[in-house]
Each structure stands twice: as structure tokens, then as C-alpha cells.
Amino acid sequence: MTGPRSFVFLNEPGALDEIGWDGEQREKLWRYNQHYFDDLNAIGATERHAWHVALIEDWIAHNPPGQGNGWEPYPLSLRIVNWVKWALSGSELSAAALHSLAVQARWLTGRLEIHLLGNHLFANAKALLFAGLFFDGEEADGWRRTALKILAREIPEQFLPDGGQFELSTMYHALALEDALDLINVAARYAGTAPAEDGARVRGWLIPRLPAMRRWLQVMCHPDGEIALFNDAAIGIAPSVAELEGYFARCLPNAVPLPLLAVERLPDSGYVRLQSGDAVALLDVARVGPDYLPGHAHADTLSFELSLFGQRVLVNGGTSCYGTSAERLRQRGTAAHNTVTVDGQDSSEVWGGFRVARRAYPAGLSLLEDANCLQVSCSHDGYRWLKGRPVHTRMWFLHAGSLAVEDNVSGGYGEAVAHYRFHPDVAVSADPYGREGVAVLADGRRVGWQIERGAGELAPSSWHPRFGVAQPCMLLRVKLVGQSARVRFKWM
């Protein structure tokens, strides 16, 4: 909140007196955020307490049961949790707010998002557990039973053995870690009450999984402390990594993270992290997500991101919008990622905002590590539906002062192009022939690049690290010649 009745969501401002609680003046995701009430528990929330009290009463007055975006199950679930957190943190819900909160939980029980599953259904269960612990009585007992039934099924389904959240998005993993910590926290809050046994069950399911979830997030971060952008991912939606670390330490103070190794493989998720000296490379050798739930997938198979000297250098395109627009489709497409397009097609057929038809499956992952080189190789069959049934194979070779990336596309096709997107803070230049050039980082350090095989050109592009944000950047396009291309980046 930026004022008593004004907000900024997804980097777009809005005032309640001008746009109300619903309407076409803002996109649906913005409206969802408006109904979450996240600011009740944000940093500095106590300074805005009077605003919050008034906003809750205004919401009740202008959002009658069942009407508008605020009563859809997902924003409803997040709001229930936020109102309960606010009350448990020392604020007092009015009689009208308590009544509304009970009605909201009652409404949610009949509209669980079983048809969507994934993080939506998990959020529904979390909200019912919060409400079931917060209220007393037979109906509250029923909310807890429903929540426990869902969580018992979804925790082992959604939290992979390597710690990843099964939709394979770094952003949704961070949100899932917050959810798990919230559930452990609220269960501890009610440890001495009648429903303590239900909370103990939830803690028993989650606590053994949390160290792996924490490490997964550490593996999938850049040295700047923020997440890599694979699948639907943007900075600033989930709590920051530092905030989650602090929350983890408060909930589980005796858990100590282990240092990261030169090669970290997340076998169940399908990501690899390589580190050599000042270089960190994060590689996507993963499937797009669960076969039955690829809604947050991008066509980014065999893409990667690279940081040097603590700064992002090569980045995937990111995510700045949801919905069904052409821009949403472009951001999910293969050309928006540091990987290879074949005949202008996407490696996985993304469509409809949150749909995927034909999709890439990785195969043949190989990791070799010695004193001089970290080497990873993997293939995918996402273009098998094309006439020549091409298969893309990529190899990464990380040395102390260089990274070479080699692409091979077998089979028949017209044109294959590898994409390398530079961070906006990197100034990129090329020689007149497009064969080699220099990338100058924000601190003045220089990274040379050379096309050892293939034909290259620089082109303008964009990076989308946050919702509602588009930053201009440069893109190196390398056309495969003789079915292969090889690019080397060098630094000192």
C-alpha cells in the first residue's frame, strides 16, 4: 500500500476511489493481488495498521459473498491466510471481520480447485488449515480434516525428493517454501490447544522435507541472491531468498545449510548448477513440468543462465505478464530463452496462456568433472514432430576462465538458431563480421565472446525480471552451420 486507499501491484499503481475492487480498469492478476491483502503482513505493516483496519471494513462492505474476483478460490485462500496471520500477530479483527472470515472459509470448502491441482489446491488446503485452527467448533474441525486430507496427498506429490516444487518454476518453489514454513509456524502456534495433533501431523510431513527445499533454492539462485528465471518466474512475487532464509532460521533454528559444491545436480527436478571460480552457470535439463500440469512451463529446455563476478551476464527472457496475450505467448516461447529454435518453432508447444501441447523430453544427461573442466551434455526431442524429426543436443564446457557452448541438431530441417540474451547492464559489441565481440559488465569487466562455429548477429531484445517490467537488452543469434554451432565466452 502506498496510501490509505492506494496500491502498487505488479509495478502498476491504482487507487481504490478510482478503480474500485473489480472492473476492467486492471487486468485480472492485478485484481487478484488487490484481494490478497499481502500488505497486512508486509515489512513495516504496523505503521499502516489504521489503513489495514479501514481496508478490511471497506472490503467487507463492497464485496458481498460470492461476487467478484475476491471470492474466487485462489485469492480467497491467500486472503484467509493473511487475515489470520494479521490477527495472530496482535491485531484485532472486528466482529464483522470475524464473521466474514468464517463465511470465506465456508465458501471455500465448496469450491476447492481440484480441477487445477498444483499450487492452487495447496493454497486452498493451507487456508482451510489456518481457518480450522483459528476458529473453534465442529465446522472448524471439518475444515482441518479437509485440509489434512489434501495435504497428505499433495505434499509428497508436489515436493520432489530433491527438494524442488514439482511445477519446476524457481518462483513457485520460493512460494512453496513460504507455504511450508507458514504451515509449520501456525502448527507451532497452536501446539498447546485441542487441535494440536493435527498441527503435529503437518509438521511431521513437512519438517523432514524442508532442508532439501532450502538447498534447492540456494542451488537455483545467482550470486546476486535472487532466483534464476526458468519457466514462469519473476523477482518480487515470492519473498526474497534472504527473507526466506530468515524465516527458515526462525522456524528451524538448528538447521545449518551446507556449502554448495562445484557441481550440483537436482536429479528429480532436472536442473544443474556449475561453479568454477567467478562463474556460475545454471542449466535447464528438465522436463517442462508434470505431464498433467504444465501451466507454468516455458519452452526453455536446454536453456541456461550465466553469472560472472557476481553479476548476471546471460539471462532468460523472464515473465512480465500472465493471460492470453501475444506477449505472454512470446515470453513463453523458445526464442525468449538461451537455447535453440528449429525452423522458428518452439521446443514445446506453449499456447493459451497456461497450456502446453507437444512438449520436449530431455534424455542422455551426462556430467563429467575433472580438475580442468566441468562438462554437461543433454538432448531433447521437442522437435520430433517436424518432418525431419530433428533432435537437439547441447554441451557445456566450463573452464576456469571460459564457457564453451556447443549445439548439434540432427535430422532434417531448414534453419536452427541458438540464442544468447545478455543482461541489460551488459554493453555488447561485435566485429563487422559478427564472429566475435566484447561484453562489458556494469563494473567495467570485459567478457570476450567468439563464434567458433556458426554464423552470428546481434539484435535488440528485452528482459522481463519482474511483472510489468520490460528492459531493453542485446541478443546474440547464432545460426547453426552444418548442423552445429559453438560459442565461447572468455573472461579473466
Side-chain angles (χ1 to χ4, degrees):
M1 296 180 71
T2 55
R5 297 172 65 80
S6 60
F7 324 93
V8 174
F9 301 123
L10 311 177
N11 291 293
E12 183 178 3
L16 193 59
D17 293 333
E18 298 173 4
I19 63 173
W21 286 100
D22 281 296
E24 297 180 357
Q25 303 97 325
R26 294 293 183 275
E27 293 185 353
K28 194 175 188 68
L29 184 59
W30 197 98
R31 290 297 191 186
Y32 268 25
N33 276 266
Q34 187 181 9
H35 290 275
Y36 291 164
F37 276 75
D38 279 342
D39 197 65
L40 267 62
N41 302 292
I43 293 171
T46 55
E47 300 169 8
R48 301 184 292 280
H49 182 266
W51 297 0
H52 296 154
V53 172
L55 192 68
I56 289 172
E57 298 304 318
D58 192 274
W59 187 91
I60 295 168
H62 293 95
N63 293 273
Q67 297 184 26
N69 288 305
W71 289 88
E72 293 186 26
Y74 189 73
L76 176 59
S77 296
L78 270 61
R79 185 174 58 256
I80 288 171
V81 169
N82 277 324
W83 285 22
V84 171
K85 280 186 181 181
W86 189 71
L88 294 180
S89 298
S91 298
E92 184 176 352
L93 290 167
S94 68
L98 287 169
H99 175 74
S100 174
L101 184 60
V103 171
Q104 292 174 55
R106 187 176 299 133
W107 179 267
L108 178 60
T109 58
R111 291 156 185 85
L112 300 174
E113 294 174 283
I114 297 170
H115 61 297
L116 292 179
L117 300 171
N119 66 88
H120 278 243
L121 184 59
F122 199 94
N124 302 161
K126 176 184 172 183
L128 288 181
L129 186 68
F130 265 71
L133 291 169
F134 183 73
F135 288 105
D136 296 320
E138 185 176 341
E139 189 175 18
D141 294 343
W143 297 339
R144 291 199 312 278
R145 286 194 298 270
T146 299
L148 291 171
K149 183 178 179 181
I150 296 170
L151 293 172
R153 181 178 68 245
E154 293 301 317
I155 287 172
E157 173 74 2
Q158 296 196 28
F159 299 161
L160 301 174
D162 65 11
Q165 200 270 352
F166 77 151
E167 293 183 73
L168 304 182
S169 152
T170 45
M171 180 181 80
Y172 281 97
H173 175 89
L175 290 169
L177 179 55
E178 181 190 27
D179 285 341
L181 291 169
D182 278 348
L183 288 168
I184 287 172
N185 197 1
V186 77
R189 168 63 174 76
Y190 285 94
T193 66
E197 183 177 342
D198 292 341
R201 291 174 65 188
V202 173
R203 289 173 62 85
W205 294 334
L206 287 173
I207 286 177
R209 300 175 184 273
L210 276 171
M213 294 181 70
R214 179 193 204 181
R215 186 171 184 82
W216 194 101
L217 188 60
Q218 293 169 334
V219 168
M220 295 302 295
C221 280
H222 283 274
D224 64 9
E226 285 290 359
I227 57 174
L229 304 183
F230 293 106
N231 290 317
D232 274 345
I235 297 167
I237 297 298
S240 71
V241 178
E243 288 166 348
L244 287 171
E245 274 291 299
Y247 195 11
F248 193 103
R250 294 193 299 275
C251 290
L252 297 171
N254 296 323
V256 178
L258 298 175
L260 296 176
L261 304 175
V263 177
E264 292 281 356
R265 182 189 174 197
L266 300 169
D268 305 292
S269 305
Y271 292 106
V272 173
R273 183 185 193 271
L274 304 178
Q275 180 164 2
S276 177
D278 295 313
V280 172
L282 297 166
L283 319 181
D284 181 353
V285 290
R287 62 198 188 282
V288 299
D291 281 339
Y292 67 89
L293 192 66
H296 291 295
H298 287 205
D300 60 357
T301 308
L302 303 190
S303 68
F304 75 104
E305 296 195 333
L306 175 68
S307 277
L308 295 173
F309 312 109
Q311 305 163 74
R312 298 189 192 216
V313 177
L314 295 175
V315 292
N316 284 319
T319 303
S320 71
C321 60
Y322 277 174
T324 57
S325 67
E327 178 61 14
R328 164 69 171 163
L329 187 63
R330 186 193 71 80
Q331 290 181 19
R332 296 180 75 203
T334 301
H337 303 84
N338 296 326
T339 186
V340 172
T341 57
V342 175
D343 290 341
Q345 301 296 319
D346 293 327
S347 58
S348 292
E349 190 179 4
V350 292
W351 66 282
F354 298 92
R355 305 292 186 186
V356 183
R358 292 173 293 215
R359 59 201 67 172
Y361 290 94
L365 175 64
S366 171
L367 291 87
L368 298 175
E369 178 182 3
D370 61 34
N372 298 314
C373 181
L374 305 177
Q375 179 179 333
V376 178
S377 175
C378 191
S379 303
H380 79 78
D381 62 356
Y383 298 113
R384 66 192 179 281
W385 58 276
L386 295 174
K387 186 176 181 180
R389 299 183 66 80
V391 173
H392 175 207
T393 300
R394 170 165 274 187
M395 291 176 282
W396 294 267
F397 304 88
L398 180 60
H399 297 84
S402 71
L403 171 68
V405 184
E406 182 173 322
D407 291 300
N408 294 277
V409 179
S410 63
Y413 55 91
E415 181 181 77
V417 179
H419 302 78
Y420 298 91
R421 179 171 283 95
F422 290 91
H423 187 277
D425 291 341
V426 177
V428 188
S429 60
D431 71 0
Y433 305 101
R435 300 286 303 177
E436 60 184 24
V438 175
V440 181
L441 309 190
D443 65 356
R445 295 177 188 260
R446 299 166 67 87
V447 178
W449 57 266
Q450 181 179 14
I451 300 173
E452 299 179 343
R453 189 161 56 251
E457 64 175 359
L458 287 175
S461 187
S462 58
W463 187 50
H464 308 271
R466 300 173 183 271
F467 274 88
V469 172
Q471 296 180 243
C473 66
M474 293 303 296
L475 173 70
L476 174 63
R477 301 176 76 252
V478 181
K479 181 179 177 180
L480 275 67
V481 176
Q483 295 192 321
S484 67
R486 183 182 176 97
V487 180
R488 184 180 298 275
F489 302 88
K490 294 182 179 180
W491 55 90
M492 295 294 291

